[in-house]
Amino acid sequence: MNSSVPYLLAVLGEGVVPPSTMVCHADDLGLVRGDGVFEATRVVTAQDGTSRIDRLEEHLSRFARSIAGVDGPTPDMDSWNHLIEDAARNWRTPGEATLKLVYTNGREIVPGSPRGFLTISPLSETHKEEREGIDVLCLSRGVTSESYADAPWLLGGVKTLSYAVNVAALRYARSQGADDVIFTSTEGYLLEGPTSGLVVEAADGLWTTPTGATGILSSITVNTVFDAADDAGVKTSTRLMKRNEVLRTQGAWLLSSIRGVVPILTIDGHPAPHDDQMTHRLRVWAGFED
Amino acid sequence: MNSSVPYLLAVLGEGVVPPSTMVCHADDLGLVRGDGVFEATRVVTAQDGTSRIDRLEEHLSRFARSIAGVDGPTPDMDSWNHLIEDAARNWRTPGEATLKLVYTNGREIVPGSPRGFLTISPLSETHKEEREGIDVLCLSRGVTSESYADAPWLLGGVKTLSYAVNVAALRYARSQGADDVIFTSTEGYLLEGPTSGLVVEAADGLWTTPTGATGILSSITVNTVFDAADDAGVKTSTRLMKRNEVLRTQGAWLLSSIRGVVPILTIDGHPAPHDDQMTHRLRVWAGFED
């Protein structure tokens, strides 16, 4: 991707602006403290240039919860909705793209209001290739599976801008020849991917990992799939599971709003189970296949 | 502080620019992923407008180690040194100020080089008041005291821009009527403050907490004080300690480059020991008193 790639930028209170516009000051808390939050979902644009945005309402709800998690003011959802509509109308590139919403808690040295902006950019080639299947490494997140209970300052379930460990873990995995990561607790329980949720198919139905005390982000894609599975009579449950337990199940996937439903091919080099039929069902439920 | 407060901004490759200049794009990895690092140290400016910068060489060394920690390229230290000299020459406000250096890993959507800039801003009134003494809360960091061993992706000891938990912990402490935080491991060991290191005075000399497997940032102020203490014949050591053990010692302080040496008055509401004479010695060793 180079600088000629179309990329749309819109700033809250300003509207769509040239993508070369700088958006933040040197003392913005989002920049110098990672003190802000974000959301990302998929935009699908037809050949005629009209776009639909995947599960926008759920993403805006989680965005508002994340902003509350960093003690930000209640966001003006009308303004955000108008900005998103304006941006989607201006984004005419057919295909899949990522809509990212960003909120920061204002400035550190000079007083100022919170800042909000959004970008729309084409889906990366890497994400498209990874949809075929990925090799993952289990990497410790350093926390226990109960670390986030009664500890709101740890920002469990809040999608903050402080993702340095998430990107460092992905870089580490790639340096080892893998594609992605499943974070584990110090007890060896699987938690989530750096930008995805885990779903496993076992004899008694579909499993995912519990939110709450684990600090895991509530995955909109996993929730969507589980609602549809319930409707289809497939049992769903949350549980703490270890790697070797998952290797003995029928299938394992990492789910996210942009990349969709991705089968895990290997975990730490061990072949993972797979179920192509369930991959298809999960994709249909998630809105990634018809 | 309001927008008329003097505040200096300088950008790597550009020099000193107006502080109202925006410095980063909407897809800057430092902003949207917290994927970057920083350093902060004190600038002391005399009435004639000439400035000295505290322990710049040590801070630049740690800055370079942090950049390597997020897989950034080896920084051009000549450029940074020139930028800092230029900035210090242009900063003429007598008194104490904070020099902050910021590095980000470039951009996410559009390719681009890493970005670097610095700010100089006056010491906050809060920091000045806190020097008299602080009430602290112990808050769990969610990690064990050995979580960072052999886990470079957790970025232990790297001063990243992903500080959301640090600021959330400080906000939580203030909402409870306290001034600051000591993070604890899940086993109850004291680790460090969100922006400071811990020093305790016991019968056998001064203690601080170990870096390495704890993930603690190596504190330049603690290291400076410990070197001076060794020279003065005061024994120093690192150890894992629990709150109740510290409450039975002779004194406890949080040390940092900007705020200096701050006596802890209470921990979780329990009166902490104090030793005014040692406070003075620590301040002299740290360069905050003559």
Side-chain angles (χ1 to χ4, degrees):
Chain A
M1 195 177 298
N2 58 53
S3 56
S4 69
V5 165
Y7 147 56
L8 184 141
L9 170 64
V11 178
L12 203 64
E14 298 177 31
V16 175
V17 298
S20 57
T21 310
M22 297 260 190
V23 296
C24 99
H25 287 102
D27 64 334
D28 191 288
L29 289 163
L31 174 60
V32 293
R33 297 289 182 185
D35 186 18
V37 302
F38 74 103
E39 267 304 321
T41 190
R42 188 174 64 142
V43 177
V44 181
T45 307
Q47 287 299 326
D48 69 0
T50 58
S51 295
R52 67 176 172 81
I53 300 173
D54 284 353
R55 286 178 287 283
L56 179 59
E57 201 175 324
E58 291 94 322
H59 284 278
L60 285 174
S61 296
R62 191 171 67 180
F63 193 45
R65 289 200 303 279
S66 287
I67 292 170
V70 294
D71 293 326
T74 306
D76 177 351
M77 280 306 169
D78 281 349
S79 300
W80 276 106
N81 271 308
H82 285 135
L83 190 71
I84 293 164
E85 280 167 30
D86 197 15
R89 242 193 333 269
N90 280 275
W91 178 256
R92 312 287 299 172
T93 311
E96 293 173 281
T98 299
L99 167 66
K100 183 178 275 198
L101 311 178
V102 178
Y103 162 90
T104 85
N105 253 336
R107 299 177 63 179
E108 189 166 45
I109 303 172
V110 176
S113 309
R115 184 138 185 93
F117 63 87
L118 67 79
T119 55
I120 304 180
S121 58
L123 188 76
S124 77
E125 287 305 314
T126 307
H127 273 3
K128 284 183 196 166
E129 287 158 16
E130 286 170 351
R131 285 176 172 166
E132 299 303 308
I134 51 177
D135 299 307
V136 306
L137 285 190
C138 290
L139 295 181
S140 172
R141 192 64 185 77
V143 298
T144 77
S145 61
E146 299 188 332
S147 282
Y148 293 80
D150 304 317
W153 56 87
L154 293 182
L155 305 177
V158 177
K159 203 168 168 68
T160 73
L161 297 175
S162 288
Y163 258 43
V165 168
N166 302 48
V167 294
L170 284 172
R171 276 197 298 261
Y172 182 84
R174 285 167 190 155
S175 77
Q176 305 296 305
D179 302 302
D180 210 330
V181 169
I182 300 176
F183 281 128
T184 57
S185 74
T186 52
E187 310 100 324
Y189 292 120
L190 307 186
L191 298 172
E192 62 187 343
T195 64
S196 58
L198 176 67
V199 169
V200 168
E201 180 192 11
D204 66 347
L206 299 175
W207 300 347
T208 191
T209 43
T211 57
T214 58
I216 289 176
L217 185 73
S218 179
S219 164
I220 289 169
T221 312
V222 172
N223 294 345
T224 301
V225 160
F226 271 37
D227 285 349
D230 287 336
D231 290 346
V234 175
K235 197 172 164 247
T236 61
S237 58
T238 61
R239 73 181 67 195
L240 290 169
M241 38 191 156
K242 295 194 174 179
R243 186 193 70 180
N244 289 351
E245 195 181 357
V246 169
L247 289 173
R248 291 190 301 265
T249 61
Q250 293 157 234
W253 298 264
L254 287 181
L255 272 59
S256 56
S257 299
I258 313 296
R259 200 175 56 179
V261 174
V262 178
I264 297 173
L265 303 178
T266 66
I267 306 179
D268 295 338
H270 303 283
H274 59 275
D275 177 346
D276 290 341
Q277 201 176 347
M278 183 57 81
T279 300
H280 176 65
R281 294 185 83 182
L282 293 171
R283 284 181 176 158
V284 171
W285 290 336
F288 280 81
E289 275 181 14
D290 297 322
Chain B
M1 192 177 298
N2 58 53
S3 56
S4 68
V5 164
Y7 146 54
L8 183 141
L9 170 63
V11 178
L12 203 64
E14 299 177 29
V16 175
V17 298
S20 58
T21 309
M22 298 262 190
V23 296
C24 97
H25 286 100
D27 65 334
D28 192 288
L29 289 162
L31 175 60
V32 293
R33 298 287 181 187
D35 186 19
V37 302
F38 73 104
E39 268 304 321
T41 190
R42 188 172 65 141
V43 177
V44 181
T45 308
Q47 287 300 327
D48 68 1
T50 56
S51 297
R52 66 175 172 83
I53 301 172
D54 284 353
R55 285 177 290 282
L56 179 59
E57 200 174 326
E58 290 93 323
H59 285 277
L60 285 175
S61 296
R62 192 171 66 179
F63 193 45
R65 287 200 304 276
S66 287
I67 292 171
V70 295
D71 293 326
T74 306
D76 176 353
M77 281 306 170
D78 280 349
S79 299
W80 276 105
N81 271 309
H82 285 134
L83 190 71
I84 293 163
E85 278 168 30
D86 197 14
R89 241 193 334 269
N90 280 275
W91 179 256
R92 312 287 299 173
T93 310
E96 292 172 282
T98 299
L99 167 66
K100 184 179 277 199
L101 312 179
V102 178
Y103 161 90
T104 84
N105 253 337
R107 299 177 65 179
E108 189 167 46
I109 303 173
V110 176
S113 308
R115 185 137 185 93
F117 63 87
L118 67 81
T119 56
I120 303 179
S121 59
L123 189 76
S124 78
E125 287 305 314
T126 307
H127 273 4
K128 283 183 196 166
E129 288 159 16
E130 287 170 351
R131 285 176 172 167
E132 298 304 307
I134 51 176
D135 299 307
V136 306
L137 285 190
C138 291
L139 297 180
S140 171
R141 192 63 185 77
V143 297
T144 76
S145 62
E146 298 188 333
S147 283
Y148 293 80
D150 304 317
W153 56 87
L154 293 182
L155 304 176
V158 177
K159 203 168 170 69
T160 74
L161 298 174
S162 288
Y163 257 42
V165 167
N166 302 50
V167 295
L170 285 171
R171 277 198 297 260
Y172 182 85
R174 284 165 191 155
S175 77
Q176 305 296 306
D179 302 302
D180 211 330
V181 169
I182 301 176
F183 281 126
T184 57
S185 73
T186 52
E187 310 100 322
Y189 292 120
L190 307 186
L191 297 172
E192 62 187 342
T195 63
S196 57
L198 176 66
V199 168
V200 167
E201 180 192 10
D204 65 348
L206 300 175
W207 300 346
T208 191
T209 44
T211 57
T214 59
I216 289 175
L217 185 73
S218 179
S219 165
I220 289 168
T221 313
V222 172
N223 295 345
T224 302
V225 160
F226 271 37
D227 285 348
D230 287 337
D231 290 346
V234 175
K235 197 175 163 241
T236 61
S237 57
T238 61
R239 72 181 69 194
L240 289 170
M241 40 191 155
K242 295 194 173 179
R243 186 194 70 179
N244 289 352
E245 194 181 0
V246 169
L247 289 173
R248 292 190 300 267
T249 61
Q250 293 158 235
W253 298 263
L254 286 180
L255 272 59
S256 55
S257 300
I258 314 295
R259 199 173 58 178
V261 174
V262 178
I264 297 172
L265 303 178
T266 67
I267 306 179
D268 296 336
H270 303 283
H274 59 272
D275 177 344
D276 291 342
Q277 201 177 346
M278 184 56 81
T279 300
H280 175 66
R281 293 185 83 182
L282 293 171
R283 285 180 175 157
V284 171
W285 290 335
F288 281 80
E289 274 181 16
D290 296 321

